[in-house]
Amino acid sequence: MSRVLIVGAGLTGSLCACLLRREMQNKVRVVVWDKSRGSGGRMSTSRCPDNTSSVVDLGAQYVTATPHYTRSHRSFYEELLAHSILQPLDAPVEGLLNKDGSTNYVTPLGMSSIVKHFLKESGAELFFDRHVTSLYRRGALWEVHRKGGEREEFDAVVLTMPVPQILQLQGDLGELLGASQREQLETVSYSSRYALGLFYPPSAQIDVPWAVNYVANNPCICYVAIDDRKRHKESPGCGPSMVVHTSVPFGLKHLEQDKEVVQPIILEELNKLLPGLPQPASIKCHKWRYSQVLSAVPGCPGQMTLHDEPLLVCGGDGFIHSNFDGCVESALRVFDVLKASL
């Protein structure tokens, strides 16, 4: 039985693990490592420290299904809808440019519930706080080193982290990468932004006519959502929650500053934008260094195979495009490679 390591517990990694379980259960043993303390990647959902029922989506906000992907990824949409993980977005949205024929879906339990569903279905051995630092080829195996932990060996490795983090890996990877592959990987670029999650006490009221607002012509803030209202999870015993995303230029300008320095700047702009907001009980600030893919690996089918034996393959939105369906398509393409090789 082949031992497969998937690095990254985001959507691509979790779905790839799920597909391996469903179609190759008797052939592979799947292990998933993530350097964070929880699953989700850029579909992360944060909980209020004082009330775990109050959550905000700090990364992806909802899923937009185009007619093309509604057809080609139909089984995944049907599965998530059947489990009530997805439901149509019908809360009021200001400033959204609707795409013809597309359907928007929210996640009542937060965006990370999509990833958690596929991880649960996968039955994979899941480990957090596992930061991969280097890979070495040892005959027919990969020896994987991690920060502050013992090295382990695997028959195949799947890398789903942002492309710049793949290029930072030490060991044999530098020698195995061809010049053209390295050049392709180095062309990938990402936007950067900050996200604020604000949790309010149960007595607080936020009197705005919308659940989601795409903010135009603001140098700092581009998006605000009353997150519980967006997800249809308003509850009398639970205060409202809000998520704020900064613009990409603002994120780039303040990228190397500490969050503690940037958070007050965003809050000041938020209070100018929405005067009279109540005082939040808790605030979480997150820096997305790799927010969305601006330029993916050119001409890439959703994956890049770096080595055949032992197998080393990369996937994720950096190899296709940055949304739910891009990650699903990448997981399918990575799975095709694994299925043909193991």
Side-chain angles (χ1 to χ4, degrees):
M1 182 174 286
S2 298
R3 193 162 180 248
V4 179
L5 173 66
I6 297 175
V7 183
L11 179 55
T12 301
S14 64
L15 181 53
C16 186
C18 179
L19 293 169
L20 285 168
R21 169 69 179 270
R22 289 176 177 176
E23 299 199 33
M24 299 180 67
Q25 184 173 358
N26 298 323
K27 292 185 177 182
V28 298
R29 178 183 165 198
V30 182
V31 180
V32 178
W33 288 1
D34 198 284
K35 71 175 185 177
S36 300
R37 291 177 293 174
S39 59
R42 279 166 282 165
M43 283 186 161
S44 71
T45 302
S46 293
R47 299 187 180 278
C48 175
D50 303 318
N51 185 347
T52 56
S53 298
S54 181
V55 303
V56 292
D57 290 321
L58 288 178
Q61 293 295 297
Y62 51 84
V63 173
T64 298
T66 65
H68 167 73
Y69 282 123
T70 298
R71 293 188 298 271
S72 62
H73 295 161
R74 179 179 175 181
S75 64
F76 301 113
Y77 280 108
E78 289 181 345
E79 176 180 347
L80 294 170
L81 286 164
H83 285 83
S84 300
I85 294 167
L86 291 182
Q87 68 180 38
L89 168 62
D90 55 21
V93 179
E94 284 194 7
L96 177 64
L97 297 175
N98 288 317
K99 298 178 180 178
D100 290 342
S102 294
T103 303
N104 295 316
Y105 296 102
V106 292
T107 48
L109 298 179
M111 291 295 288
S112 67
S113 62
I114 298 174
V115 173
K116 290 176 180 176
H117 169 77
F118 289 127
L119 285 172
K120 182 179 178 181
E121 289 289 306
S122 76
E125 298 175 58
L126 178 60
F127 299 93
F128 299 116
D129 294 311
R130 298 256 175 132
H131 186 174
V132 174
T133 57
S134 53
L135 297 96
Y136 294 90
R137 188 173 53 172
R138 300 289 186 245
L141 299 172
W142 286 108
E143 183 181 274
V144 183
H145 295 219
R146 60 187 175 90
K147 188 179 292 185
E150 295 183 2
R151 64 196 69 174
E152 294 188 39
E153 292 185 338
F154 298 91
D155 297 279
V157 175
V158 178
L159 304 174
T160 69
M161 62 274 243
V163 172
Q165 294 177 355
I166 294 174
L167 288 168
Q168 289 167 8
L169 292 175
Q170 302 297 306
D172 292 337
L173 184 61
E175 294 179 10
L176 294 172
L177 269 180
S180 62
Q181 285 182 319
R182 179 175 291 279
E183 186 177 333
Q184 284 180 296
L185 293 174
E186 288 175 345
T187 64
V188 178
S189 62
Y190 294 79
S191 63
S192 302
R193 70 178 75 242
Y194 284 83
L196 281 190
L198 299 96
F199 302 97
Y200 293 90
S203 59
Q205 291 188 348
I206 301 176
D207 297 319
V208 293
W210 40 262
V212 175
N213 188 358
Y214 285 86
V215 180
N217 303 318
N218 188 290
C220 174
I221 295 170
C222 71
Y223 176 93
V224 182
I226 315 303
D227 210 58
D228 55 317
R229 192 181 300 175
K230 177 196 75 179
R231 293 180 288 104
H232 312 287
K233 294 293 286 185
E234 294 172 288
S235 169
C238 187
S241 58
M242 178 185 289
V243 61
V244 179
H245 281 182
T246 70
S247 66
V248 171
F250 179 92
L252 186 61
K253 178 181 177 181
H254 298 277
L255 184 60
E256 303 306 331
Q257 291 183 279
D258 292 336
K259 292 185 292 184
E260 293 75 15
V261 174
V262 179
Q263 177 177 310
I265 301 173
I266 304 170
L267 287 173
E268 183 179 355
E269 289 298 325
L270 177 64
N271 284 296
K272 290 178 185 175
L273 185 68
L274 299 173
L277 279 177
Q279 187 70 23
S282 178
I283 302 173
K284 179 164 186 180
C285 181
H286 188 85
K287 181 195 295 186
W288 292 110
R289 183 175 292 274
Y290 306 112
S291 176
Q292 290 180 300
V293 174
L294 296 175
S295 175
V297 175
C300 192
Q303 62 82 25
M304 179 182 283
T305 302
L306 301 183
H307 199 264
D308 292 312
E309 295 182 12
L311 183 64
L312 177 62
V313 58
C314 303
D317 58 356
F319 297 86
I320 183 163
H321 52 82
S322 202
N323 58 18
F324 171 85
D325 287 293
C327 292
V328 170
E329 194 66 23
S330 179
L332 289 167
R333 300 291 76 80
V334 170
F335 172 70
D336 287 342
V337 174
L338 291 164
K339 188 175 181 179
S341 302
L342 301 176

